[in-house]
């Protein structure tokens, strides 16, 4: 398994042809208390770097962008009633959706952990 | 880049790692760690707010001969010494210039507390109606204000104000001393909880702040929590829910307008009373955790009937709540609304405010 990161602060964990998507710890920290997640529907086709769900915090509603293209095969329905899981465990328990990856070459458009950490250091 | 003002507590906020943001021309703490935790802290225990950005005016003069009544929608002369009253400053069109609280310090002395962003304009508007002999000063620079709000606030403040704190009734105040300085302690606030506001010389503000925080039952809370607390109570926020193009009749604040006295804007309000209102402020509760935001449109029966002025997630209700202006025929309780912007559609129903009914406000 390997983990990738986008410039929009999503993470993607690849296991075979299935990718698990969430937002990074940096992103949840920027958003603050998360109060609502508009989950995508299973079966939806998503496109890399297009909006695939919306997360609301106390302060504002923010779009989440798909780090990779594919079909949504599962969503984390726990987030419907406990969206704060993303604040507590953004990169594990707070995963958002699983996707059947349609084009593995898109992974080249993402960063590895070290590059992402350098990237957020520059943002601060 | 906006030239932001700082309260005496800015360095303390930064030490506490607060997220700072501009508000009303000031660099203010929005949150320290978590808006929701700070909100719950105020509902369950006690929260400390930096409200030094707000404006304080001092007036001295014969109330009957200085035309002061003309500046306010509510009666000034009938406020008893030691009491304070909430109300509005209006323009000639009846539009709301600001909402404020007037404190009757003595027979011929008043303190007026106004919003930060409107302070300078308020000062000019009030001054423009005054006549005869009076003193009218903006004392905001030298006055600091801290709000202690929450069910434990009285208990926490008892050691500073023994005796006095237990006698103070809702919307009353007293002059007393703190750290050898004269201060005003009032039983007021904007959170829906039992609470007190302390007006003090700016020189002692940092010491008072830090001393209060030594008690672990109280924690600092930022403007984010403050906004949700007032929203749960249905209290309007100037600049979001109230503005110069909105009258008190439209804002459902008629209670704070005394039509049996004269004031700027009264003629316009009397005229408006004879016609049907075009819009009226209502509160609504959403059917999910999703929160409407300022600027969302309001639809009913498929028609565009208004707009959202405040909205957020209510930690106490576990749902989105908000307020806004709708055509009067859609203002009755249980009216079904749709709140919408871009691809977001939220179902909501009109509900009576306050949304939060279990506060310790009058306990």
């Amino acid at each position: 398994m390997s983990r990738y990161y986008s410039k929009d602060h999503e993470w993607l964990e690849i296991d075979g042809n299935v990718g698990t998507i969430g937002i990074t710890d940096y992103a949840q920290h920027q958003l603050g208390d998360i109060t609502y997640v508009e989950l995508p529907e299973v079966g939806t086709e998503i496109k890399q770097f297009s909006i695939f769900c919306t997360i609301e915090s106390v302060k504002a509603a923010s779009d989440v962008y798909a780090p990779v293209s594919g079909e949504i095969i599962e969503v984390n329905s726990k987030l419907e009633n406990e969206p704060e899981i993303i604040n507590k465990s953004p990169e594990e328990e707070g995963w958002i959706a699983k996707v059947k990856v349609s084009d593995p070459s898109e992974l080249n458009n993402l960063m590895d952990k070290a590059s992402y950490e350098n990237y957020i250091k520059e943002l601060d | 880049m906006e030239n932001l003002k700082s309260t005496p507590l800015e360095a303390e906020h930064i030490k506490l790692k607060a997220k700072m943001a501009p508000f009303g021309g000031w660099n203010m703490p929005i949150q320290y760690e978590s808006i929701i935790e700070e909100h719950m802290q105020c509902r369950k225990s006690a929260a400390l707010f930096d409200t030094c950005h707000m404006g304080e005016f001092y007036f001295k003069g014969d109330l009957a001969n200085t035309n002061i009544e003309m500046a306010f929608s509510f009666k000034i002369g009938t406020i008893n010494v030691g009491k304070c009253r909430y109300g509005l400053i209006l323009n000639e069109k009846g539009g709301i210039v600001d909402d404020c609280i007037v404190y009757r310090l003595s027979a011929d002395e008043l303190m007026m507390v106004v919003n930060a962003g409107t302070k300078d304009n308020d000062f000019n508007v009030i001054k423009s109606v005054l006549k005869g002999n009076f003193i009218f000063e903006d004392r905001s620079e030298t006055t600091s204000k801290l709000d202690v709000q929450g069910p434990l606030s009285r208990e926490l403040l008892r050691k500073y104000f023994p005796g006095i704190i237990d006698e103070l009734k809702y919307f009353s105040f007293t002059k007393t001393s703190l750290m050898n300085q004269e201060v005003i302690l009032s039983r007021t606030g904007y959170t829906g909880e039992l609470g007190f506001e302390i007006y003090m010389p700016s020189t002692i503000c940092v010491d008072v702040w830090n001393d209060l925080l030594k008690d672990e039952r109280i924690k600092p809370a930022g403007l984010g929590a403050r906004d949700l607390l007032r929203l749960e109570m249905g209290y309007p926020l100037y600049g979001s829910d109230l503005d110069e193009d909105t009258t008190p009749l439209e804002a459902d604040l008629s209670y704070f307008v005394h039509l049996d006295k004269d004031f700027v804007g009264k003629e316009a309000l009397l005229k408006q009373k004879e016609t049907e209102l075009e819009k009226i402020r209502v509160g609504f509760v959403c059917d999910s955790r999703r929160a409407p935001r300022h600027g969302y449109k309001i639809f009913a029966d498929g028609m565009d009937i208004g707009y959202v002025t405040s909205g957020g997630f209510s930690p106490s209700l576990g749902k989105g709540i908000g307020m806004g202006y709708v055509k009067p025929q859609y203002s009755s309780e249980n009216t079904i609304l749709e709140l919408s912007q871009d691809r977001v559609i939220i179902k909501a129903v009109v509900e009576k405010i306050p949304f939060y009914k279990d506060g310790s406000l009058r306990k």
Side-chain angles (χ1 to χ4, degrees), chain B residues 227-252:
Chain B
D227 192 48
L228 281 186
L229 290 158
R230 67 95 197 163
L231 186 60
E232 285 191 338
M233 291 304 292
Y235 295 152
L237 177 69
Y238 195 84
S240 292
D241 309 299
L242 309 176
D243 58 38
E244 293 217 20
D245 295 320
T246 303
T247 72
L249 305 182
E250 294 164 335
D252 199 19

Side-chain angles (χ1 to χ4, degrees), chain B residues 186-354:
Chain B
S186 65
R187 199 180 139 189
T188 46
Y190 218 55
T191 61
E193 299 298 338
L194 169 70
F196 301 86
E197 300 183 302
I198 313 167
Y199 298 86
M200 66 195 86
S202 294
T203 47
I204 62 167
C205 183
V206 173
D207 289 341
V208 173
W209 170 271
N210 285 321
D211 205 63
L212 281 165
L213 289 179
K214 281 180 189 161
D215 191 315
E216 58 188 25
R217 293 173 294 176
I218 187 168
K219 293 207 165 76
L223 292 183
R226 197 173 169 81
D227 192 48
L228 281 186
L229 290 158
R230 67 95 197 163
L231 186 60
E232 285 191 338
M233 291 304 292
Y235 295 152
L237 177 69
Y238 195 84
S240 292
D241 309 299
L242 309 176
D243 58 38
E244 293 217 20
D245 295 320
T246 303
T247 72
L249 305 182
E250 294 164 335
D252 199 19
L253 296 174
S254 305
Y255 180 77
F256 305 102
V257 176
H258 300 163
L259 289 169
D260 54 343
K261 72 158 211 172
D262 283 333
F263 56 89
V264 173
K266 180 182 169 180
E267 293 308 313
L269 296 186
L270 287 174
K271 207 179 261 178
Q272 192 180 39
K273 266 180 95 94
E274 288 168 13
T275 58
E276 199 184 332
L277 294 178
E278 285 180 15
K279 59 178 183 180
I280 191 155
R281 183 172 66 103
V282 294
F284 39 78
V285 175
C286 304
D287 72 346
S288 76
R289 298 173 64 96
R290 189 153 220 184
R293 310 281 169 176
H294 181 91
Y296 276 31
K297 283 185 173 177
I298 303 178
F299 293 87
D301 298 337
M303 283 180 297
D304 183 347
I305 57 128
Y307 52 93
V308 174
T309 50
S310 279
F313 172 75
S314 162
S316 305
L317 274 65
K319 286 180 180 172
I321 55 169
M323 52 178 110
Y325 286 84
V326 297
K327 291 185 174 159
Q329 61 266 39
Y330 295 99
S331 63
S332 52
E333 261 184 274
N334 299 320
T335 302
I336 295 169
L337 306 175
E338 271 190 358
L339 319 170
S340 170
Q341 189 183 60
D342 300 330
R343 49 191 193 95
V344 177
I345 297 172
I346 305 171
K347 283 211 157 43
V349 290
V350 175
E351 277 204 17
K352 250 192 195 158
I353 47 180

Side-chain angles (χ1 to χ4, degrees), chain B residues 152-165:
Chain B
L152 298 189
S153 55
R154 186 188 283 124
E155 247 174 274
L156 275 155
L157 291 176
R158 196 172 282 127
K159 69 170 178 174
Y160 300 99
F161 309 108
I164 294 170
I165 195 91

Side-chain angles (χ1 to χ4, degrees), chain A residues 10-123:
Chain A
E10 292 88 17
W11 57 265
L12 172 74
E13 175 118 345
I14 293 289
D15 184 6
N17 69 342
V18 173
T20 304
I21 302 170
I23 64 164
T24 65
D25 186 54
Y26 177 87
Q28 72 78 18
H29 199 74
Q30 294 294 316
L31 291 172
D33 298 293
I34 291 169
T35 54
Y36 176 82
V37 182
E38 185 195 42
L39 292 165
E41 276 181 40
V42 171
T44 311
E45 290 287 340
I46 58 171
K47 269 194 84 171
Q48 190 177 37
F49 305 139
S50 296
I51 297 168
F52 101 105
C53 95
T54 304
I55 292 184
E56 288 195 7
S57 69
V58 170
K59 289 179 285 183
S62 310
D63 293 324
V64 181
Y65 298 87
V68 71
S69 303
E71 183 195 339
I72 302 284
I73 53 168
E74 192 182 342
V75 294
N76 186 357
S77 51
K78 268 192 190 169
L79 298 177
E80 281 169 14
N81 295 317
E82 293 176 80
E84 62 273 15
I85 295 173
I86 296 182
N87 288 120
K88 290 176 193 152
S89 177
E91 303 202 20
E92 283 169 45
E93 299 289 307
W95 63 276
I96 296 170
K98 293 191 181 190
V99 60
K100 196 161 102 190
V101 177
S102 60
D103 180 2
S105 74
E106 287 179 349
L107 300 177
N108 298 327
N109 303 329
L110 301 170
M111 289 176 268
D112 63 14
K113 192 173 172 67
S115 309
Y116 179 69
E117 277 172 1
N118 279 331
Y119 171 69
I120 55 175
K121 250 182 228 161
E122 281 167 24
L123 296 178

